[in-house]
Amino acid sequence: YDGNTVQPLLDAVFTNVDQLVLNKDRSKALFTQTRYETIAPQDNELMMLDIDSGHIAAISGIPKGSTEAYAFGPDGAVYFLYLDIDGPMGLAASNPRLYRIRPGQDTEAVLLDHSGGAYNYYGSIASDMMLGIAQQALVPTGEAICFLSTHLQDAHLMAYAIADGAFAQITRAPGAVMEFAPDEMGGFVLIAMRENGLGELYAVDADGKERQISGLNTALLSAHEVVTPLALGEPEMHPNHP
């Protein structure tokens, strides 16, 4: 779009494009495409677009499967979540795993998570108080690739450190992190539910210390009694059954 007209870069009639992600200087973009005429396949292709030239090419070295989310890393590599379409458990019975590949090198992607897919790379906590569901996302910072992951009843912000390959949990407070973005000070801004509260903005510094920075629902909650759910395994105290 040049301000007046819209020019298609990919004009294939039977191609569906999803999740356009730009690099830092906005010179390149990643997206996935699925090509079909009748029944949509389970696999897709990870593509790279050169913004200036309009050239589009598939990133080589990725086996047939489903790429779920992707990002340009600060080290110049492409990081992506991938599910093997021919895996023994199938696409719907396993978590995607984190891979890295350097475009232009016709080699297999390097698997980064050797924990057997222990991270699910998105927040899966369900609530009637959430407005929509965020897409799966990998977000690069200066030194890491960050993502959400669910652990039991909580959803936390996680980070994969590029330098040493370590996975670390950034947030510690119980509750559900629903969205996040890195700030300019090395920390993050979150939309999260804490305790019996609804979604609010929180700031998290580089050491994981968290503070609430919005009070959108303070007046609403102060006018109502909120019942705390029983924790898993906690016996219920019914008035007629001591």
Side-chain angles (χ1 to χ4, degrees), residues 12-83:
V13 176
F14 300 107
T15 300
N16 186 63
V17 173
D18 195 19
Q19 297 187 44
L20 189 74
V21 175
L22 294 168
N23 66 349
K24 187 174 182 179
D25 64 8
R26 296 175 176 263
S27 63
K28 292 181 172 56
L30 296 171
F31 64 91
T32 51
Q33 71 174 23
T34 306
R35 293 178 287 185
Y36 63 97
E37 295 187 33
T38 54
I39 300 175
Q42 291 183 306
D43 62 302
N44 57 21
E45 295 178 286
L46 182 58
M47 313 294 291
M48 183 178 293
L49 162 68
D50 183 270
I51 301 295
D52 291 334
S53 67
H55 177 71
I56 297 173
I59 295 180
S60 61
I62 302 176
K64 184 177 181 180
S66 177
T67 300
E68 306 293 324
Y70 30 87
F72 290 95
D75 56 347
V78 170
Y79 291 81
F80 61 99
L81 302 180
Y82 170 81
L83 281 168

Side-chain angles (χ1 to χ4, degrees), residues 66-202:
S66 177
T67 300
E68 306 293 324
Y70 30 87
F72 290 95
D75 56 347
V78 170
Y79 291 81
F80 61 99
L81 302 180
Y82 170 81
L83 281 168
D84 184 354
I85 198 170
D86 296 322
M89 300 178 66
L91 288 178
S94 59
N95 291 326
R97 303 177 77 182
L98 182 61
Y99 285 73
R100 174 180 59 213
I101 196 167
R102 301 188 184 280
Q105 298 181 7
D106 191 12
T107 57
E108 289 292 320
V110 178
L111 177 65
L112 299 176
D113 179 9
H114 295 276
S115 63
Y119 304 112
N120 65 350
Y121 297 98
Y122 63 97
S124 60
I125 303 301
S127 171
D128 290 341
M129 297 297 103
M130 293 174 63
L131 182 62
I133 300 175
Q135 290 183 321
Q136 297 184 22
L138 300 178
V139 178
T141 65
E143 301 175 345
I145 302 293
C146 299
F147 57 93
L148 296 181
S149 185
T150 304
H151 179 67
L152 298 177
Q153 72 271 17
D154 301 315
H156 288 292
L157 175 59
M158 306 287 295
Y160 168 80
I162 293 174
D164 60 10
F167 287 84
Q169 182 176 319
I170 305 300
T171 56
R172 297 291 174 181
V177 179
M178 298 179 285
E179 301 261 9
F180 72 95
D183 63 23
E184 297 178 351
M185 304 300 292
F188 297 88
V189 176
L190 315 174
I191 299 176
M193 288 179 165
R194 297 299 187 216
E195 297 181 350
N196 287 338
L198 303 176
E200 298 286 358
L201 286 170
Y202 293 82

